[in-house]
Amino acid sequence: MAQTRLTPRYYQQFQCIGDRCENNCCQGWSISIDKASYQHYLKHPQLKILAREQIELTRTSKAHWGTIRLTEQGTCPFLDGCGLCSIHKLAGPESLSNTCRSYPRIHERFGEQHQRSLNLSCPEACRQILLSPEAMQFSAEPWQGKESAQPLPRWSEQLHLYCMQILMWEQLSVEER
């Protein structure tokens, strides 16, 4: 069986609503910074001082090089007065750390399937998943990655495939699925 990537419509339609969000993701949780992003911030004329002061280096791995120290209010110190990310605003979206660039997107693997989803801790993701009538429409395309599949017990793979087919069955309403 060939590896596939399964993507729900809500994943494709998701867009961050930024300062309009009622529960900004840049507060109350640990924000990991990868090594490449940290080094990029140190080279940026408007971000380097804040990066030195507000990123605690852990050097656990290249993916987890540091953690942003939150303010006393529990928010990211890189947020501006309007609730927007100053890294995004000053250096562009490509400068965001892996954590900030990917959230709330989730990529999981189940045997031969690579699945995309959104984290329900994001209010806009919840709206996309729960309120869009097309939310449970999926696309499946061949996986182009280099990772090899992990073998699963046959019954597990069949049960999972059956559940995914129910979710993709367009003759049923979202509620019935």
Side-chain angles (χ1 to χ4, degrees), residues 22-166:
E22 64 272 16
N23 189 17
N24 191 296
C25 61
C26 307
Q27 63 184 357
W29 58 294
S30 178
I31 304 168
S32 180
I33 301 294
D34 56 281
K35 184 178 181 179
S37 295
Y38 178 71
Q39 290 175 336
H40 182 74
Y41 302 158
L42 292 180
K43 293 176 186 172
H44 193 280
Q46 295 165 298
L47 296 173
K48 64 183 174 184
I49 294 172
L50 196 55
R52 280 193 195 113
E53 293 174 352
Q54 300 301 330
I55 298 175
E56 180 180 344
L57 297 180
T58 60
R59 294 183 177 98
T60 308
S61 67
K62 287 183 180 182
H64 183 74
W65 196 250
T67 304
I68 294 180
R69 289 185 187 105
L70 299 180
T71 66
E72 288 181 16
Q73 294 76 31
T75 61
C76 177
F78 290 94
L79 288 179
D80 68 10
C82 298
L84 296 173
C85 177
S86 57
I87 296 170
H88 189 282
K89 190 176 359 179
L90 297 170
E94 65 282 353
S95 296
L96 293 172
S97 69
N98 292 336
T99 301
C100 297
R101 187 176 27 254
S102 63
Y103 180 82
R105 294 160 194 87
I106 301 171
H107 297 237
E108 296 290 335
R109 188 157 147 210
F110 190 81
E112 300 273 336
Q113 278 190 349
H114 297 261
Q115 302 168 348
R116 292 174 163 176
S117 189
L118 297 176
N119 194 316
L120 291 175
S121 63
C122 170
E124 184 59 19
C126 286
R127 279 188 282 277
Q128 288 293 320
I129 294 167
L130 299 174
L131 301 179
S132 172
E134 300 173 335
M136 290 303 172
Q137 292 179 1
F138 290 79
S139 66
E141 57 267 346
W143 170 250
Q144 303 297 322
K146 297 177 182 172
E147 300 173 28
S148 58
Q150 299 170 339
L152 292 173
R154 185 87 179 129
W155 64 265
S156 175
E157 200 165 345
Q158 286 178 330
L159 179 60
H160 185 262
L161 184 59
Y162 178 70
C163 291
M164 295 311 296
Q165 287 174 341
I166 290 172

